[in-house]
Amino acid sequence: MTFPAVRLQRYRQTPQIRKILAETFLDVRHLIMPLFIREGIVDKKPIPQLPNIFQQSIQTLLPEVERLANLGISTLLLFGIPLEKLPYPIGAFSKIGIIQQAIRLIKQEFPKMIVIADCCLCEYSADGHCGLYSNGQWMNDQTLELLKKIALSYAEEGVDIIAPSGMMDGMVRAIRQGLDEQGHTMVSIMSYAIKFASNFYGPFREAAGSVDVFKGDRRHHQVAYTQKKESIREALLDIEEGADYLMVKPGLPYLDILSELRSKTLLPLAAYQVSGEYAMIKAAAAAGILDEAAAFEETLIALRRAGADFIITYYADVYSQNIQ
Ligand code: PBG
């Protein structure tokens, strides 16, 4: 049957009917809030390219986590900014490193908060590379040893989920082995399985303090945005290596990848709405071009519709505030 007997507009007549028919939901439980914690500052520091987002200090961290917890946010993704970026980035796995301290404090005060910690060298190394890099040579396998150390140092402080973001070959296997050997069998791994060499990470690099130090590009380890089959292979390999969660990053320009991956795996999937995506909507809203809340809602729903169980977004707190 078709028109005139069939009229799809019958489904859309009233807000009540539209609501009972809504197929895709977005709830605060689906949202993960990124947090930047910077060593050596006292007050929180604004990040000009990321309006409303701050670098927190170890002193401002707990009040901020309390604010987020009160909004119903259950999951945080931590990034650390050390005092010094060193050629051999020992700050990344030091017992007194900024992230190790942050995990310890959060888990002490808010044991129910789910803490994910980014596991990469780029915030800690003098050259801003995600892996060890020497004489123009990429040292993937040596980097794996370091990633293991970082992951272990997080696990010792009680992290729930380790998120390796450097796109090193074999990183999930190495971290799983490292954790299991030391008895941390219940610590999970969320792999940044498909991380594209994207132009949308700019504001993050400012937030993580890697703009000045990093002169290269990340195309020898991140996936080119021309690559669909290769990107899906990345994810399938991470599943074989033992990933518990997979992430696709950035979000909106990669809905096709998310949707394809959704059909290929039963693992929980996260999408990362990255800094450039956030900044873009904020800028458009500031210029009076878009309704900020409505535009964010639409992008977040689109990510869920494409197959994301979770969304990492700098808008998590404001979204939660709005729905309370
Ligand atoms: C690297 C990392 C990056 C982001 C998260 N982890 C930046 C990069 O690869 O250059 C970007 C996140 C964002 O833009 O919001 N450890």
Side-chain angles (χ1 to χ4, degrees):
M1 237 191 300
T2 177
F3 181 84
V6 175
R7 289 173 190 268
L8 294 189
Q9 288 186 10
R10 276 186 215 120
Y11 295 128
R12 304 171 195 151
Q13 300 179 59
T14 68
Q16 293 72 27
I17 294 175
R18 293 197 292 271
K19 189 167 177 190
I20 62 163
L21 288 173
E23 300 168 39
T24 309
F25 289 93
L26 181 58
D27 186 87
V28 53
R29 85 186 86 152
H30 302 128
L31 301 179
I32 298 173
M33 182 76 186
L35 272 188
F36 298 99
I37 306 128
R38 177 165 170 184
E39 199 172 18
I41 58 170
V42 177
D43 297 325
K44 65 179 184 179
K45 212 170 164 283
I47 303 164
Q49 295 185 354
L50 280 179
N52 210 29
I53 303 295
F54 296 83
Q55 291 175 334
Q56 301 292 337
S57 71
I58 220 65
Q59 288 86 346
T60 61
L61 175 65
L62 288 180
E64 174 65 0
V65 175
E66 185 170 23
R67 183 183 75 86
L68 296 171
N70 288 339
L71 292 171
I73 290 188
S74 57
T75 314
L76 305 173
L77 171 59
L78 309 186
F79 295 97
I81 304 142
L83 205 51
E84 267 193 307
K85 296 181 187 282
L86 302 170
Y88 188 75
I90 46 172
F93 52 83
S94 154
K95 184 93 190 150
I96 52 164
I98 186 73
I99 284 299
Q100 290 75 6
Q101 292 183 51
I103 297 169
R104 198 178 319 145
L105 284 173
I106 298 171
K107 285 312 244 184
Q108 258 165 23
E109 295 298 316
F110 302 93
K112 290 188 195 144
M113 186 59 86
I114 301 169
V115 176
I116 311 178
D118 185 80
C119 180
C120 192
L121 302 187
C122 66
E123 293 113 67
Y124 300 89
S125 57
D127 60 12
H129 277 292
C130 300
L132 295 172
Y133 194 77
S134 162
N135 297 327
Q137 286 292 318
W138 194 237
M139 307 208 287
N140 184 87
D141 299 16
Q142 290 89 330
T143 303
L144 297 182
E145 290 310 307
L146 270 185
L147 294 181
K148 262 191 199 178
K149 279 186 162 189
I150 301 173
L152 261 182
S153 73
Y154 293 171
E156 280 162 12
E157 305 304 340
V159 80
D160 297 285
I161 304 177
I162 311 250
S165 67
M167 291 293 286
M168 297 297 119
D169 284 327
M171 65 184 186
V172 174
R173 182 188 305 266
I175 291 173
R176 186 71 271 158
Q177 270 176 0
L179 291 172
D180 287 356
E181 274 165 20
Q182 298 300 318
H184 297 292
T185 53
M186 295 306 282
V187 173
S188 303
I189 300 177
M190 176 184 284
S191 178
Y192 285 63
I194 315 183
K195 181 169 175 184
F196 288 93
S198 170
N199 296 294
F200 290 93
Y201 303 147
F204 174 93
R205 291 181 188 164
E206 185 194 56
S210 49
V211 178
D212 298 336
V213 292
F214 184 64
K215 300 293 178 224
D217 67 43
R218 304 209 195 281
R219 278 181 279 189
H220 37 0
H221 54 289
Q222 299 178 349
V223 187
Y225 48 74
T226 50
Q227 304 305 87
K228 184 163 181 175
K229 297 193 287 290
E230 186 185 331
S231 69
I232 299 296
R233 256 187 105 187
E234 278 284 359
L236 298 180
L237 283 171
D238 283 359
I239 297 172
E240 277 184 52
E241 290 184 21
D244 301 286
Y245 303 81
L246 298 173
M247 188 201 299
V248 175
K249 176 183 167 193
L252 215 54
Y254 298 96
L255 294 180
D256 58 330
I257 308 290
L258 201 54
S259 156
E260 175 90 10
L261 191 56
R262 177 73 292 164
S263 69
K264 291 211 157 42
T265 178
L266 299 174
L267 264 68
L269 294 184
Y272 198 146
Q273 177 174 63
V274 300
S275 56
E277 297 177 76
Y278 172 86
M280 216 160 43
I281 298 179
K282 282 294 222 185
I289 294 169
L290 289 178
D291 172 338
E292 178 180 301
F296 270 111
E297 161 108 352
E298 185 175 338
T299 58
L300 298 172
I301 288 280
L303 291 164
R304 291 264 303 150
R305 194 186 62 236
D309 297 295
F310 307 105
I311 303 166
I312 301 158
T313 172
Y314 303 95
Y315 200 67
D317 60 338
V318 178
Y319 186 86
S320 315
Q321 219 163 354
N322 291 346
I323 56 174
Q324 288 223 329

